[in-house]
C-alpha cells in the first residue's frame, strides 16, 4: 500500500518529526519501531488529501445556504445539475484516500501488540492516535455516503468483493474508537509539548460530541445521543482552564497567519513547504478569491491572492445571516471588502487625470445597499450586494496566505479543522434538542460575546432562550464557521439541506432533491467489485 510521510511544522518550537518515507506497508514492517512510526505519520499525512484539496472543499462548501458558484465553480456539484453523478472525481478524491488511510490506521492498531523497540506507553498512545484518525475518516464516509464498507482490520492483499455495513454499525465503531482514544491520548494540544496536528483527548472529545449529535438525527439514533452530545461537549468546555484552552478575545485573531496553533484550536491538519512530504497542495487560499485583477487599478498580487473564484457567498449569508454588521464584527473579519490600487497603469483616467492614486481604494464593497447616484459619483468602484457578479464579490480571507513562496503557489498554512468555538455551538445545538433553551442560549451567547469585540454592543448581541431554535443555531454556525468545510455536512446532519438550499440558494435550489442528502458512491468503487454481490449505489443515482 502506498504511503505518504508527514513532517509536522511547529509554531514557536524547534521540534520536528523526522521520517524515512517507505514505498509500502506490511504487517512485518508495522511490527518494527520505524515502521510503526512511519505508518502513523502516513495516517496523519492522509488528511492532506482532504483538508486543503479541491475535492473536499467542493463536497462541503458550495451548494449550501452559505456559498454558491463563483466564476470558476463546478456546475454539477454546486447546483446539483443533471451532470452530477457517480463518475465525478470529487467523489473518488474523498472516498479513496479515506479507505487508503483507514487501512494504514488498521495496520498500526492491529500490530500494536507485536511492535518491538517501543515502550508500552508509547505504543498505547500511538494506537490511540490511529483510532482518532480512523474515527475521523469513517465519520466523513458515513456522513457523505451513508452505509459504507467497514474494514476493521489491516488488509494486505487486494480484494474484489465488498459490502456496505449499516450506518448503526459504522457509528458504533466510531464511538468505540473515540472512547478508547480519549482514555490514552494526551489531554490537550497546548500542554506537554504536543506537536501541532497531533491527536489529543480534547480533540477526540470534540469529535465524539459531534458524532453523538450527528447520529441523534439519523436512522441509527440512540435514545441518549443528544444527552451524550451535550454532556461530552460540556465536559470539554468545563475543563478548558485546566487544559489551557479557550476562545481568543478577538475573532479576527483566530485565522491570523501564524496563529494556527492558538489555544482555541483543538486539531489541525499540517501542511509543509517540503514537497517531499507535501504532494497534496492546500489550495483553500485560492478558492474564495474573486476576480479582482479584471477590474481597474488592480493586478494579481501576493496580498490579494490567486483568483480561482470557485465559490461566492449567497445573498442570504451576506445580507440576512450577517444583517448586523455593526455589533457583530465577524462579517468584516471574515470577508475582504476593500482592495487598494496596486497598479498605476490600470487606474482609470478622466481627461488624462487618474481618478485616484496608487494605494487608494480601487474597489469597496460596503456590504449594504447604496444608491445608483452614489455609485456613479464615486471615483472608485463602489459595489453594493445587488451589484455582485460571478467575478465581483467579497473574498473570504480565512485561508489567505501572503507568505507562500510565489504569487501562484498554494498555501502551506495548517488547516484548522476543529476549534473550541464549535464545541460551544455543538453544546447549544444538543441543548436545543433536549428542550434546554437556557443552556443553549448560554453557550451561543459566549460565542456571540466574543464576536462583539472590541466595540460591539453586548446587549444587542445577547440572545434569549426564547430565540433558541435549531434554525437559529444553524444561523449562528454560519456566522462563526462559514467556509470552514462543514456546512453541507451540518445541513445534512440536521435534515435541513433541501429546505435551506431551496430557501437561500436559488442556483442550487431549483435542482436539489431528497436524493442529494447522500453523495453517490464513486463509480470506480462499484466497478472494482467483480466478485459476489454488486456494490449497491445510493438511491436514484
Amino acid at each position: 500500500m502506498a504511503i505518504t510521510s508527514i513532517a509536522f511544522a511547529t509554531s514557536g518550537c524547534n521540534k520536528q518529526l523526522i521520517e524515512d518515507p517507505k514505498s509500502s506497508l506490511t504487517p512485518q514492517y508495522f511490527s518494527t519501531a520505524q515502521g510503526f512510526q512511519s505508518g502513523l505519520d502516513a495516517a496523519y499525512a492522509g488528511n492532506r488529501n482532504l483538508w486543503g484539496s479541491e475535492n473536499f472543499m467542493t463536497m462541503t462548501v458550495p451548494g449550501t445556504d452559505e456559498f454558491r458558484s463563483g466564476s470558476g465553480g463546478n456546475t454539477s456539484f454546486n447546483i446539483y445539475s443533471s451532470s452530477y453523478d457517480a463518475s465525478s472525481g470529487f467523489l473518488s478524491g474523498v472516498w479513496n484516500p479515506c479507505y487508503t488511510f483507514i487501512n494504514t490506521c488498521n495496520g498500526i492498531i492491529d500490530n500494536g501488540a507485536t511492535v518491538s523497540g517501543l515502550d508500552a506507553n508509547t505504543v498505547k498512545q500511538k494506537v490511540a492516535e490511529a483510532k482518532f484518525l480512523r474515527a475521523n475518516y469513517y465519520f466523513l464516509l458515513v456522513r457523505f455516503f451513508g452505509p459504507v464498507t467497514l474494514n476493521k482490520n489491516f488488509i494486505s492483499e487486494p480484494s474484489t468483493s465488498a459490502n456496505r455495513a449499516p450506518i448503526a454499525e459504522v457509528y458504533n465503531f466510531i464511538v468505540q474508537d473515540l472512547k478508547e482514544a480519549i482514555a490514552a491520548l494526551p489531554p490537550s494540544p497546548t500542554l506537554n509539548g504536543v506537536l501541532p496536528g497531533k491527536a489529543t483527548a480534547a480533540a477526540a472529545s470534540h469529535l465524539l460530541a459531534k458524532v453523538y449529535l450527528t447520529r441523534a438525527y439519523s436512522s441509527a439514533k440512540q435514545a441518549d445521543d443528544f444527552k451524550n452530545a451535550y454532556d461530552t461537549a460540556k465536559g470539554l468546555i468545563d475543563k478548558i482552564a485546566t487544559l489551557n484552552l479557550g476562545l481568543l478575545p478577538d475573532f479576527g485573531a483566530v485565522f491570523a497567519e501564524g496563529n494556527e496553533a492558538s489555544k482555541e484550536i483543538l486539531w489541525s491538519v499540517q501542511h509543509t513547504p517540503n514537497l517531499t512530504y507535501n504532494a497534496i497542495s492546500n489550495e483553500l487560499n485560492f478558492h474564495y478569491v474573486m476576480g479582482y485583477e479584471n477590474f481597474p487599478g488592480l493586478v494579481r498580487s501576493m496580498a490579494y491572492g490567486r483568483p480561482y473564484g470557485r465559490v461566492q457567498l449567497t445573498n442570504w449569508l451576506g445580507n440576512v445571516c450577517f444583517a448586523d454588521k455593526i455589533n457583530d464584527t465577524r462579517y468584516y473579519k471574515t470577508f475582504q471588502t476593500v482592495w487598494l490600487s496596486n497598479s498605476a497603469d490600470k487606474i482609470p483616467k478622466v481627461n488624462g487625470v487618474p481618478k485616484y492614486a496608487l494605494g487608494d481604494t480601487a474597489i469597496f464593497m460596503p456590504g449594504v445597499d447604496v444608491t445608483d447616484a452614489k455609485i456613479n459619483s464615486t471615483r472608485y468602484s463602489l459595489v453594493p450586494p445587488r451589484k455582485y457578479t460571478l467575478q465581483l464579490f467579497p473574498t473570504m480571507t480565512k485561508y489567505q496566505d501572503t507568505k507562500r513562496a510565489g504569487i501562484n503557489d498554494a498555501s502551506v498554512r495548517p488547516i484548522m479543522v476543529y476549534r473550541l468555538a464549535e464545541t460551544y455551538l455543538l453544546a447549544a445545538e444538543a441543548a436545543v434538542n433536549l428542550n434546554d433553551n437556557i443552556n443553549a442560549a448560554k453557550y451561543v451567547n459566549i460565542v456571540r460575546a466574543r464576536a462583539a469585540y472590541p466595540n460591539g454592543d453586548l446587549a444587542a448581541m445577547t440572545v434569549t432562550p426564547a430565540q433558541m431554535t435549531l434554525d437559529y443555531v444553524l444561523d449562528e454556525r454560519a456566522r462563526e464557521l462559514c467556509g470552514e468545510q462543514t456546512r453541507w455536512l451540518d445541513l445534512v446532519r440536521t435534515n435541513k439541506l433541501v429546505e435551506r438550499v431551496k430557501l437561500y440558494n436559488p442556483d442550487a435550489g431549483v435542482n436539489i432533491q431528497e436524493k442529494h442528502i447522500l453523495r453517490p458512491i464513486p463509480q470506480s468503487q462499484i466497478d472494482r467489485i467483480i466478485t459476489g454481490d454488486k456494490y449497491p449505489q445510493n438511491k436514484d443515482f
Side-chain angles (χ1 to χ4, degrees):
M1 178 165 298
I3 138 179
T4 307
S5 287
I6 182 170
F8 285 96
T10 62
S11 177
C13 177
N14 293 323
K15 289 186 290 185
Q16 188 177 24
L17 292 182
I18 306 298
E19 317 83 0
D20 177 21
K22 298 294 178 183
S23 62
S24 64
L25 295 176
T26 64
Q28 293 76 22
Y29 187 56
F30 276 122
S31 296
T32 68
Q34 182 185 24
F36 200 69
Q37 182 63 58
S38 292
L40 185 59
D41 292 344
Y44 274 109
N47 287 287
R48 293 181 188 153
N49 293 267
L50 304 171
W51 281 277
S53 74
E54 186 168 353
N55 296 323
F56 191 70
M57 188 282 299
T58 302
M59 287 183 53
T60 54
V61 175
T64 66
D65 51 2
E66 287 184 353
F67 286 91
R68 54 186 286 257
S69 285
S71 59
N74 175 274
T75 56
S76 60
F77 267 72
N78 293 14
I79 65 171
Y80 306 97
S81 69
S82 58
S83 59
Y84 167 36
D85 60 30
S87 66
S88 171
F90 293 127
L91 299 166
S92 56
V94 170
W95 178 279
N96 291 344
C98 280
Y99 276 109
T100 295
F101 295 103
I102 283 170
N103 199 48
T104 306
C105 292
N106 287 343
I108 300 159
I109 296 163
D110 287 358
N111 289 281
T114 61
V115 65
S116 60
L118 294 174
D119 65 85
N121 285 335
T122 299
V123 171
K124 183 178 180 181
Q125 179 177 318
K126 291 183 185 301
V127 167
E129 292 177 56
K131 288 184 176 181
F132 168 81
L133 296 171
R134 183 169 69 178
N136 257 298
Y137 289 126
Y138 269 126
F139 190 42
L140 290 175
L141 288 169
V142 74
R143 288 182 293 166
F144 280 131
F145 301 106
V148 292
T149 300
L150 186 58
N151 296 329
K152 298 181 180 182
N153 299 105
F154 183 69
I155 299 171
S156 58
E157 298 293 336
S159 173
T160 58
S161 64
N163 55 31
R164 298 176 66 181
I167 65 170
E169 187 178 348
V170 180
Y171 273 113
N172 288 341
F173 192 65
I174 293 168
V175 169
Q176 178 183 340
D177 263 357
L178 290 174
K179 285 182 174 179
E180 292 173 359
I182 289 168
L185 288 171
S188 170
T190 62
L191 297 174
N192 305 321
V194 173
L195 292 175
K198 295 285 276 185
T200 64
S205 295
H206 174 96
L207 180 56
L208 180 58
K210 199 166 188 175
V211 170
Y212 281 135
L213 188 63
T214 304
R215 185 172 66 177
Y217 293 99
S218 77
S219 60
K221 63 186 176 184
Q222 297 188 8
D224 56 355
D225 275 341
F226 282 126
K227 184 179 186 304
N228 284 336
Y230 178 80
D231 290 345
T232 305
K234 179 180 182 297
L236 176 56
I237 293 166
D238 289 346
K239 294 188 294 186
I240 60 174
T242 60
L243 295 175
N244 191 34
L245 298 171
L247 298 183
L248 300 184
D250 182 1
F251 175 84
V254 177
F255 282 86
E257 291 181 50
N259 209 26
E260 296 89 357
S262 76
K263 66 178 184 177
E264 182 164 336
I265 308 308
L266 300 174
W267 186 60
S268 59
V269 170
Q270 303 294 297
H271 286 259
T272 169
N274 187 333
L275 296 181
T276 303
Y277 301 110
N278 204 35
I280 305 299
S281 297
N282 171 11
E283 296 183 342
L284 294 180
N285 57 314
F286 301 156
H287 296 323
Y288 301 87
V289 182
M290 67 90 167
Y292 66 91
E293 64 185 359
N294 299 315
F295 295 92
L298 293 163
V299 294
R300 185 176 299 189
S301 71
M302 287 290 287
Y304 295 155
R306 186 176 180 180
Y308 273 18
R310 295 291 190 258
V311 294
Q312 63 172 301
L313 74 172
T314 62
N315 289 334
W316 171 80
L317 181 63
N319 301 336
V320 180
C321 190
F322 277 113
D324 184 352
K325 297 180 175 68
I326 298 173
N327 299 305
D328 190 335
T329 68
R330 289 174 293 191
Y331 178 80
Y332 293 114
K333 292 173 180 176
T334 298
F335 294 99
Q336 179 180 353
T337 58
V338 177
W339 287 257
L340 304 181
S341 174
N342 60 9
S343 172
D345 293 341
K346 289 186 66 177
I347 296 173
K349 297 178 179 179
V350 178
N351 298 323
V353 179
K355 296 181 72 173
Y356 46 81
L358 190 69
D360 285 351
T361 299
I363 298 175
F364 174 46
M365 300 180 183
V368 295
D369 199 22
V370 295
T371 65
D372 287 342
K374 178 67 174 174
I375 294 171
N376 294 332
S377 65
T378 302
R379 56 184 179 158
Y380 51 81
S381 298
L382 180 61
V383 187
R386 62 187 171 88
K387 294 290 187 178
Y388 296 165
T389 69
L390 288 176
Q391 285 278 352
L392 194 62
F393 51 85
T395 286
M396 196 191 78
T397 58
K398 287 179 175 179
Y399 301 109
Q400 291 289 70
D401 187 348
T402 62
K403 299 177 179 62
R404 61 196 187 278
I407 196 169
N408 294 323
D409 286 354
S411 175
V412 296
R413 290 183 64 187
I415 297 172
M416 295 169 280
V417 177
Y418 300 135
R419 58 187 181 94
L420 190 61
E422 188 188 25
T423 314
Y424 285 95
L425 296 177
L426 294 177
E429 184 180 329
V432 164
N433 283 283
L434 293 168
N435 297 313
D436 182 3
N437 285 9
I438 292 175
N439 278 313
K442 179 182 77 172
Y443 288 121
V444 167
N445 280 328
I446 291 171
V447 174
R448 289 180 62 79
R450 192 265 294 274
Y453 177 89
N455 298 316
D457 184 340
L458 279 176
M461 288 292 286
T462 301
V463 296
T464 66
Q467 293 174 269
M468 287 296 96
T469 64
L470 178 57
D471 281 309
Y472 188 93
V473 174
L474 283 170
D475 292 354
E476 193 62 32
R477 286 185 66 87
R479 287 183 282 267
E480 180 69 25
L481 303 168
C482 68
E484 295 182 37
Q485 302 182 97
T486 187
R487 191 59 172 186
W488 190 88
L489 297 168
D490 291 342
L491 296 182
V492 168
R493 175 182 74 245
T494 54
N495 300 308
K496 290 281 188 175
L497 179 69
V498 174
E499 173 190 335
R500 289 181 71 111
V501 168
K502 284 182 176 293
L503 284 172
Y504 303 132
N505 187 332
D507 296 342
V510 296
N511 297 320
I512 196 168
Q513 304 171 42
E514 286 298 325
K515 71 175 184 178
H516 293 124
I517 62 174
L518 290 177
R519 300 300 194 185
I521 301 295
Q523 188 62 43
S524 57
Q525 168 63 22
I526 292 175
D527 293 343
R528 283 192 289 256
I529 305 308
I530 58 175
T531 303
D533 293 337
K534 182 179 179 180
Y535 203 82
Q537 179 57 275
N538 283 331
K539 185 179 178 182
D540 297 329
F541 282 108

